[in-house]
Amino acid sequence: MVTVNQQRVPRKRTYLMCSPEHFAVEYAINPWMDVTTPVDAELAVKQWDRLRETLVELGHEVHLLTPEAGLPDMVFAANGAFVVDGTVYGARFKHEQRTAEAAAHRAFYESQGWRFIAPGETNEGEGDFAYLPEAYGGLVLAGHGFRTELAAHAEAQEALARPVVSLRLVDPRFYHLDVALASIDDGNIAYYPGAFSSASQRVLAQLFPDAVLADDADALAFGLNLVSDGRNVVLNSDASGLAGKLRAAGYQPVPVELTELKKGGGSVKCCIAELRH
C-alpha cells in the first residue's frame, strides 16, 4: 500500500493545447452539452489561460494548436491523436461536427516531423486512450462503448507496438475514458469503477491494485479528467474529495476552475494532449 509520506517525483511533460477562442455549445453530442445554457466566452478563455499557465509554472512545455472558426470543440485537444514514443496514432471522430479537427491535428504533427499513422477505425485520441510507460513495460488502456470503436484498439496496438487493454464504458455520462480514468503517475491510475462494465472493473482491479478510486460525486465533477506529472495533479477544483485522496497517497493536488469548458463535457485532461517523444 502507498504510504502518506512517500516521495513523489515529477517528470517534465510536453503538452499540446488549443485556445477556446471559438468555443461554444452549438450542438449536443454528449450528456453534458445543453445548447440552451449560455457559455461565457471571455471567462472560458481566462480559465483556459490559467490552466496553461499552471502547467508552465509546474515546469512543463506547452505547444499551441491554432484554433479554427467553426470547430468549437477544438479546445478539447486531447481528442485529436494519441502519441506514444514519437509515433502518432491519429483520430477519426465519431460525430461529423468534429470530423475536421482530425486534419488540423495531423497537420500539426506532420509539421513537427512526427511519425503519423492515419487511422482506419473510429477513435477519439487521448479521449479514449491512456498510456502508462512503467506499467507492465508500457501499457495502453483503451475505452470503448460510446465514441471509440473496439476495432481501433487493435489498430492502435499495431500502430504503437504496445499492449492495449480494452475497457468497456457503460454509463453515457462517462462517454470517454478520460472522464472515468486517468494516469496519476507512469505506473498507476485513478478511476471511477461505476463507469465500467463489471468485467472491466475486475480487469482494472487486477492490473492496478493500488489505484486511487473516485466516488460518484468527484467523478461527476470531472475530477478524473486530470493531468499529472507524477507528483502534481492538476484537476477540477470541484473534486475536493478526490483531491484529498490524492494528497493522502502522496500527490500534490493543483485545483483549477473550468466551469465554462465543463459545459462542453470536458475539463483539464480534455484540454491537454501529451506529446510523448
Side-chain angles (χ1 to χ4, degrees):
M1 290 296 293
V2 173
T3 56
V4 173
N5 61 357
Q6 181 166 344
Q7 185 60 44
R8 302 287 179 185
V9 180
R11 177 169 64 79
K12 181 181 177 180
R13 311 287 174 129
T14 303
Y15 296 124
L16 177 66
M17 298 180 67
C18 182
S19 169
E21 62 185 73
H22 300 298
F23 175 67
V25 178
E26 298 173 348
Y27 46 77
I29 58 173
N30 68 59
W32 303 95
M33 301 177 87
D34 180 355
V35 295
T36 66
T37 301
V39 170
D40 185 330
E42 185 179 348
L43 182 56
V45 172
K46 279 184 180 176
Q47 291 179 338
W48 178 90
D49 274 335
R50 183 66 201 122
L51 173 60
R52 179 184 56 78
E53 290 163 4
T54 297
L55 297 174
V56 172
E57 288 165 3
L58 289 171
H60 305 302
E61 183 179 354
V62 179
H63 293 261
L64 296 177
L65 186 66
T66 303
E68 297 180 16
L71 296 175
D73 280 343
M74 265 188 82
V75 63
F76 300 128
N79 303 153
F82 178 50
V83 186
V84 174
D85 294 342
T87 297
V88 183
Y89 174 53
R92 184 176 177 183
F93 288 87
K94 176 176 181 176
H95 295 288
E96 62 178 340
Q97 293 96 330
R98 299 195 65 183
T99 302
E101 292 179 42
H105 282 264
R106 179 172 186 166
F108 168 81
Y109 287 109
E110 290 183 337
S111 75
Q112 301 292 309
W114 293 73
R115 177 174 177 244
F116 186 91
I117 296 178
E121 304 292 343
T122 298
N123 82 89
E124 299 198 347
E126 280 199 318
D128 275 319
F129 290 105
Y131 183 55
L132 292 108
E134 292 181 7
Y136 307 96
L139 189 68
V140 175
L141 301 180
H144 69 100
F146 297 102
R147 296 290 188 85
T148 293
E149 295 297 327
L150 185 58
H153 296 183
E155 189 175 66
Q157 181 165 283
E158 287 299 306
L160 302 169
R162 291 289 182 275
V164 175
V165 175
S166 295
L167 303 167
R168 186 159 73 92
L169 297 162
V170 296
D171 185 331
R173 296 172 300 179
F174 304 98
Y175 61 94
H176 271 157
L177 182 72
D178 71 359
V179 291
L181 177 151
S183 62
I184 48 175
D185 58 40
D186 288 342
N188 200 11
I189 62 171
Y191 70 100
Y192 172 57
F196 298 93
S197 69
S198 57
S200 293
Q201 290 180 39
R202 290 198 296 274
V203 169
L204 287 169
Q206 178 179 327
L207 293 175
F208 300 100
D210 294 326
V212 173
L213 303 183
D215 61 20
D216 299 45
D218 286 324
L220 292 171
F222 283 85
L224 290 162
N225 195 242
L226 60 81
V227 164
S228 174
D229 61 15
R231 181 178 189 274
N232 304 291
V233 183
V234 184
L235 78 167
N236 196 295
S237 57
D238 291 337
S240 55
L242 181 59
K245 289 181 178 180
L246 289 165
R247 190 177 291 106
Y251 299 91
Q252 180 61 48
V254 182
V256 293
E257 285 191 21
L258 285 176
T259 56
E260 297 313 294
L261 294 176
K262 190 176 175 182
K263 295 173 182 176
S267 188
V268 174
K269 176 57 190 170
C270 287
C271 295
I272 303 166
E274 185 169 349
L275 308 183
R276 304 176 186 87
H277 294 277

